[in-house]
Amino acid sequence: MVDFTTLPDDLPVPVDDGAADHLPGTALPAITLPSTTGDRVDFKKLGSGRTVIYLYPMTGRPGVELPAGWDDIPGARGCSTEACSFRDHFQDLRGAGATHVFGLSSQTTEYQQEMAERLRLPFPVLSDVDFSLGTALSLPTFTASGEPLYKRLTLIVSDGVIEHVFYPVFPPNTHAQEVLTWLRT
């Protein structure tokens, strides 16, 4: 049984392969995605201010095995701990100017709803099963057990344009604090 609330000490650290270097200064595409709140989020209608979108590969579920070799893939493990970190820092992120905070993965909304409820997330998680955002922005991905997944990264969007990108993200369990520190400077 895997404990999703902690991270092993020996996780491999992802390296910056340059796959997100092109993103700063890019406008978010006109894409609408379903969320765990039942709403659909239109990236062109986020309004003014900063939006934090953290992308992650997939969250595990209690009682369900992770893909084979998951802990050996640099940057794969830690999605639940990252979500908890954003949950715990949510009010501080809002206070530091984040108008919106979203999680995003290629998992279905139904799958994400269980996770959002179990972890008591105060923000919506978006589902991009077709990799619409990934295709439009050429976002980095990897494959595990034959399934394509997003590499972990965070977009800071200001007035519809990507202002800053955190990539690679490691460790994921302290990443929300890293975003908060950046927003405050």
Side-chain angles (χ1 to χ4, degrees):
M1 181 80 145
V2 175
D3 179 2
F4 298 111
T5 63
T6 61
L7 295 176
D9 293 331
D10 59 348
L11 287 177
V13 178
V15 296
D16 189 348
D17 57 6
D21 290 352
H22 65 286
L23 293 171
T26 303
L28 279 185
I31 291 175
T32 302
L33 296 174
S35 82
T36 52
T37 62
D39 297 325
R40 297 185 59 79
V41 175
D42 183 342
F43 286 146
K44 285 298 184 186
K45 295 183 179 176
L46 292 175
S48 62
R50 284 183 167 148
T51 296
V52 175
I53 306 170
Y54 75 93
L55 287 81
Y56 60 93
M58 62 169 279
T59 54
R61 234 182 213 174
V64 178
E65 290 295 317
L66 293 169
W70 189 249
D71 286 357
D72 299 325
I73 302 169
R77 178 78 182 270
C79 301
S80 294
T81 61
E82 183 179 30
C84 290
S85 179
F86 275 97
R87 174 198 66 203
D88 296 346
H89 288 84
F90 178 68
Q91 290 303 329
D92 293 331
L93 291 163
R94 296 288 307 249
T99 305
H100 303 282
V101 175
F102 299 108
L104 185 150
S105 80
S106 60
Q107 292 172 292
T108 66
T109 302
E110 293 76 21
Y111 189 99
Q112 294 172 332
Q113 283 174 324
E114 182 280 330
M115 178 269 306
E117 289 172 14
R118 177 172 33 92
L119 300 178
R120 300 174 326 277
L121 300 183
F123 51 83
V125 179
L126 308 178
S127 177
D128 189 9
V129 295
D130 296 326
F131 290 86
S132 300
L133 185 64
T135 300
L137 294 177
S138 298
L139 296 176
T141 61
F142 68 99
T143 302
S145 296
E147 295 294 322
L149 299 165
Y150 281 115
K151 285 188 178 181
R152 189 181 314 280
L153 65 88
T154 297
L155 305 173
I156 306 297
V157 180
S158 183
D159 300 325
V161 175
I162 299 170
E163 177 183 5
H164 186 76
V165 179
F166 292 90
Y167 178 82
V169 171
F170 192 84
N173 60 324
T174 60
H175 179 54
Q177 178 62 54
E178 179 184 21
V179 172
L180 179 59
T181 299
W182 187 88
L183 288 173
R184 287 178 170 164
T185 57

